[in-house]
Amino acid sequence: MSNVNVAIVGATGAVGTKILEKLLARKFPINSIKLLASKRSAGKEIVANDQRFIVEETQPEAFEGVDIAFFSAGGHISEMFAEEAVKRGAVVIDNTSAFRMVEAIPLVVPEVNLDALRQHKGIIANPNCSTIQMVAALQPIREKFGLKRLVVSTYQAVSGAGAEAIAELEAQTKKFETRADIKAELLPSADGEKHYPIAFNAIPQIDAFDDSGYTLEELKMMNETKKIFGLPELQISATCVRLPIVTGHSESVYIELDQEGVSVDDLRGVLSHAPGIVLQDDFMAQSYPMPLFAEGKDEIFVGRLRKDPDHPTGFHLWIVADNLLKGAALNSVQIAESLITIRTS
Amino acid sequence: MSNVNVAIVGATGAVGTKILEKLLARKFPINSIKLLASKRSAGKEIVANDQRFIVEETQPEAFEGVDIAFFSAGGHISEMFAEEAVKRGAVVIDNTSAFRMVEAIPLVVPEVNLDALRQHKGIIANPNCSTIQMVAALQPIREKFGLKRLVVSTYQAVSGAGAEAIAELEAQTKKFETRADIKAELLPSADGEKHYPIAFNAIPQIDAFDDSGYTLEELKMMNETKKIFGLPELQISATCVRLPIVTGHSESVYIELDQEGVSVDDLRGVLSHAPGIVLQDDFMAQSYPMPLFAEGKDEIFVGRLRKDPDHPTGFHLWIVADNLLKGAALNSVQIAESLITIRTS
């Protein structure tokens, strides 16, 4: 498996496009790349890194000879085709929520739980975007000081809902000056009955609601975090909010450590050496992470570190990352890179 | 004091304008209104409710004969002129942070601590916008179930930084399509050295930083909440974030109650009868508060009520209000109305 035959399912989407770009940019050892999408997109030409690719229709036979298949075309497509790909010998790296909470399927952020990869049986799940950046940033803190509890509020960009959501924000923004004829047809949830403008607004709903009153996005953060950390007893509760930001998710994360007596400087110390993390936390210089400046970057930016004056183990962090890159495409490609390292080591 | 001589200091600003509008719309028993502002604005004509007003310069003598003076022109103007107004017999309702944490000066949200008004010695402080909507929404919960702890993340509109910040957001938004020549000259803090674009961004800084790493906005929320509730032992920690929203502050508020065994329906029960509160919490119908729909409204909107599955007394709330109205102008006018009720009762 020195040179890999790769397939990307959902190659025309916001994340699929970035997976192709990252594979080429990071010089992944590719033998061939097959771009798969719906029948409607079949025949479409995609150019990346000066190479031309023709999109093919996703069908079971398309996975013949494929070594690694990236899936990012919605949960139902993964449910339809992932097993077909595995049956034909491919390892599937799935970027949808279809298999994330299946116990036997590893849910992997390489900086956090690379070991889980070794147990895969053909399918590896890539966590939700808002989960990835949080657990990767918290991992060095958890390793050194222990994590007891998380209270999270997110500030999420529209690109997390796909290219059409970006178009919706842009169209609404243009019409906003006159406030006339603003159409909301997609957000907060394409499947929902009601749609609300996102331009100059905050929508406290991402994905559909569960009977508990939590949204699926909130439950993903809560459940996936416990699974990735292997900490079923971790207390975690989240509020997820969509905002008029194109790309870059931000998170206001409140943590309680297992240990007392930890200082902000102790947290800075472990974060400053952590893989994939950029500590951007110099408040005197007004230096802190912001989504506008995280766009297009591979790293996770962490700042606004503060001790809760009223709680002995409580701290705040502000965590920002490009939701299409580390939140999705980059993490998937890093999983693939780790697979190769494991096999060849 | 059946007919009141009123002055508004900072009458040309975002909040001053709304104070005038609210006084007229709510038929406050006015004998005369004097609009005061900087020398630069003196002579300017303001039209409200079909009445014409001429702006005068703020000077000590301008407060002769004034019964109630609303101040909303920045902390240094309040420091310069509030005592001058009191000396001349006026009661000052101050919308700046100048006197809020002075122990002898009442900090009032009428729905929460009306009693504090009776102890005023001439100056009454109006709390920070983000504090007001939170304490008013939490008051019925606190009364019935007790509050032990708050963890807050805010989603704040640019109008909280004044009319110039709205203009900055609009100008940046127009230029954003080409991403060329975007000027950031005001936000996050006019006094700061660095300025960042707010369009399509999230800035985790409102007001300047304290040595602790908290911003003054965050410390206002934390300190003012304890003072208004009269709960110095309340645990509270906040993260305040500026967003590309014109008007309407949203807050993701996590609370721990004093009591166990409380249900979401119990919280809904007390909120549904609370003064000034609109419970908007039907997730099955995708009904929840949003800033775009709170603009221009007097009420505080509360929704997304959820029980933390991992903590016996933990709940989430999502609280939204027009930061210029209940967050500032309306609360000031309600304080004035309460003063009159107290005097005549």
Side-chain angles (χ1 to χ4, degrees):
Chain A
M1 199 167 162
S2 59
N3 278 328
V4 185
N5 296 312
V6 167
I8 302 174
V9 181
T12 57
V15 173
T17 314
K18 298 285 179 190
I19 290 175
L20 177 60
E21 285 175 20
K22 281 291 157 194
L23 285 170
L24 298 174
R26 293 168 70 92
K27 305 197 190 305
F28 190 81
I30 290 167
N31 185 51
S32 70
I33 298 184
K34 194 178 273 191
L35 299 191
L36 302 174
S38 64
K39 193 171 184 174
R40 193 167 37 96
S41 292
K44 198 176 159 184
E45 184 179 300
I46 288 183
V47 178
N49 211 14
D50 292 332
Q51 297 177 53
R52 290 175 60 244
F53 300 89
I54 302 296
V55 176
E56 299 173 40
E57 187 185 348
T58 313
Q59 286 181 313
E61 301 71 35
F63 297 100
E64 297 287 353
V66 169
D67 300 310
I68 295 182
F70 297 92
F71 274 72
S72 187
H76 60 293
I77 298 294
S78 295
E79 282 161 15
M80 280 174 69
F81 294 106
E83 292 293 352
E84 297 288 348
V86 172
K87 210 186 292 176
R88 287 166 177 81
V91 175
V92 167
I93 300 173
D94 183 40
N95 193 45
T96 77
S97 62
F99 307 112
R100 286 177 190 152
M101 294 311 296
V102 178
E103 204 181 332
I105 292 181
L107 183 63
V108 177
V109 179
E111 295 90 337
V112 182
N113 63 340
L114 196 54
D115 275 354
L117 258 195
R118 297 176 198 273
Q119 281 109 48
H120 84 80
K121 296 181 181 71
I123 300 178
I124 298 152
N126 189 76
N128 188 40
C129 47
S130 45
T131 310
I132 293 174
Q133 68 183 68
M134 183 173 73
V135 297
L138 293 180
Q139 169 67 4
I141 295 172
R142 178 219 163 184
E143 270 186 325
K144 185 82 181 265
F145 307 111
L147 275 183
K148 188 186 164 198
R149 188 176 184 191
L150 306 177
V151 178
V152 188
S153 296
T154 71
Y155 300 68
Q156 294 185 231
V158 296
S159 60
E164 288 174 355
I166 300 176
E168 182 160 288
L169 170 60
E170 286 181 353
Q172 289 173 1
T173 300
K174 279 181 204 158
K175 298 213 166 179
F176 207 81
E177 211 165 340
T178 58
R179 300 214 182 186
D181 195 24
I182 290 181
K183 280 187 194 140
E185 294 172 334
L186 178 65
L187 294 169
S189 175
D191 301 333
E193 281 195 14
K194 292 185 186 165
H195 302 290
Y196 303 115
I198 186 62
F200 305 97
N201 199 13
I203 306 181
Q205 180 192 351
I206 297 180
D207 211 329
F209 281 98
D210 181 72
D211 288 343
S212 62
Y214 282 86
T215 60
L216 300 186
E217 182 81 0
E218 289 158 354
L219 293 171
K220 284 176 202 168
M221 286 197 84
M222 293 155 68
N223 296 328
E224 293 178 14
T225 298
K226 292 181 191 198
K227 177 171 175 174
I228 296 164
F229 278 150
L231 288 177
E233 74 284 9
L234 178 72
Q235 293 175 298
I236 172 168
S237 203
T239 299
C240 292
V241 181
R242 187 77 74 190
L243 293 170
I245 293 167
V246 178
T247 293
H249 286 355
S250 308
E251 297 172 343
S252 170
V253 179
Y254 182 89
I255 63 173
E256 282 178 32
L257 304 177
D258 280 337
Q259 293 179 27
E260 288 196 22
V262 178
S263 71
V264 167
D265 278 340
D266 293 333
L267 298 189
R268 288 195 184 112
V270 294
L271 284 165
S272 62
H273 301 294
I277 303 294
V278 174
L279 181 65
Q280 192 172 13
D281 187 37
D282 182 358
F283 64 86
M284 296 293 286
Q286 291 180 273
S287 173
Y288 36 69
M290 287 178 277
L292 199 57
F293 302 103
E295 194 178 339
K297 305 269 169 57
D298 283 353
E299 295 82 8
I300 296 161
F301 299 87
V302 184
R304 295 294 335 268
L305 265 64
R306 282 155 294 149
K307 173 94 185 59
D308 181 348
D310 290 340
H311 195 278
T313 67
F315 292 87
H316 294 276
L317 299 92
W318 175 253
I319 303 169
V320 179
D322 185 319
N323 50 297
L324 299 179
L325 297 181
K326 184 58 190 175
L330 174 64
N331 197 67
S332 288
V333 171
Q334 286 172 324
I335 290 173
E337 291 169 348
S338 303
L339 275 177
I340 289 173
T341 312
I342 287 172
R343 293 210 186 173
T344 58
S345 69
Chain B
M1 200 166 160
S2 58
N3 278 327
V4 185
N5 296 312
V6 167
I8 302 174
V9 181
T12 57
V15 173
T17 314
K18 298 284 180 191
I19 290 175
L20 177 60
E21 284 175 22
K22 280 290 158 195
L23 286 171
L24 299 173
R26 293 168 70 92
K27 304 196 190 308
F28 191 81
I30 291 166
N31 184 52
S32 71
I33 299 185
K34 194 177 273 190
L35 299 191
L36 302 175
S38 65
K39 193 172 184 174
R40 193 165 39 96
S41 292
K44 198 176 159 185
E45 183 179 299
I46 287 183
V47 178
N49 211 15
D50 292 333
Q51 296 178 53
R52 291 175 60 241
F53 300 89
I54 303 295
V55 176
E56 299 173 42
E57 188 186 348
T58 311
Q59 286 182 312
E61 301 71 35
F63 296 99
E64 297 287 353
V66 169
D67 299 309
I68 296 182
F70 296 93
F71 274 72
S72 187
H76 59 292
I77 298 293
S78 295
E79 281 161 14
M80 280 174 69
F81 294 106
E83 291 292 353
E84 297 289 348
V86 172
K87 209 186 292 176
R88 288 167 176 81
V91 175
V92 167
I93 300 173
D94 183 40
N95 193 45
T96 78
S97 61
F99 307 113
R100 286 178 190 153
M101 293 312 296
V102 177
E103 204 181 333
I105 291 180
L107 183 63
V108 177
V109 178
E111 294 90 335
V112 181
N113 62 341
L114 196 54
D115 275 355
L117 257 195
R118 297 176 197 273
Q119 281 110 47
H120 84 81
K121 298 181 180 72
I123 300 177
I124 299 153
N126 189 77
N128 189 39
C129 46
S130 46
T131 310
I132 294 174
Q133 68 184 68
M134 183 174 72
V135 297
L138 294 181
Q139 169 65 5
I141 295 171
R142 178 217 163 186
E143 270 187 324
K144 185 80 181 265
F145 307 110
L147 275 182
K148 188 186 164 196
R149 188 176 184 190
L150 305 177
V151 178
V152 187
S153 296
T154 71
Y155 300 69
Q156 295 185 230
V158 295
S159 60
E164 287 173 356
I166 301 176
E168 182 160 288
L169 170 61
E170 286 181 352
Q172 289 173 0
T173 301
K174 278 180 206 158
K175 298 213 166 178
F176 207 80
E177 212 165 339
T178 57
R179 299 213 184 187
D181 196 24
I182 290 181
K183 282 188 192 139
E185 295 173 333
L186 178 66
L187 293 170
S189 175
D191 301 333
E193 280 196 16
K194 291 184 187 164
H195 302 289
Y196 302 115
I198 185 62
F200 305 97
N201 198 14
I203 306 181
Q205 181 193 351
I206 298 180
D207 210 330
F209 281 98
D210 181 73
D211 288 343
S212 62
Y214 282 86
T215 60
L216 301 186
E217 182 82 0
E218 289 160 353
L219 294 171
K220 284 175 203 168
M221 287 197 84
M222 293 155 67
N223 297 327
E224 293 178 15
T225 298
K226 292 182 192 200
K227 176 170 175 175
I228 296 164
F229 278 150
L231 288 176
E233 75 283 12
L234 178 72
Q235 293 176 298
I236 171 169
S237 203
T239 299
C240 292
V241 181
R242 187 77 73 190
L243 293 170
I245 293 167
V246 179
T247 294
H249 286 354
S250 307
E251 298 171 345
S252 170
V253 180
Y254 182 88
I255 62 172
E256 282 178 31
L257 305 177
D258 280 336
Q259 292 179 30
E260 288 196 23
V262 178
S263 70
V264 167
D265 277 340
D266 292 334
L267 299 189
R268 288 194 184 113
V270 295
L271 284 165
S272 61
H273 300 295
I277 304 294
V278 174
L279 181 66
Q280 191 172 13
D281 187 37
D282 182 359
F283 64 85
M284 296 293 286
Q286 292 181 271
S287 173
Y288 36 68
M290 287 179 278
L292 199 57
F293 301 103
E295 194 178 338
K297 305 268 169 57
D298 283 353
E299 295 83 6
I300 297 162
F301 299 87
V302 184
R304 296 294 336 267
L305 265 64
R306 282 154 295 150
K307 171 95 186 60
D308 180 347
D310 290 341
H311 196 278
T313 67
F315 292 87
H316 293 277
L317 299 91
W318 175 254
I319 303 169
V320 179
D322 185 319
N323 50 297
L324 300 178
L325 297 181
K326 184 59 189 173
L330 174 64
N331 197 67
S332 289
V333 171
Q334 287 172 323
I335 290 173
E337 291 169 347
S338 304
L339 275 177
I340 289 174
T341 312
I342 288 172
R343 293 207 185 174
T344 57
S345 68

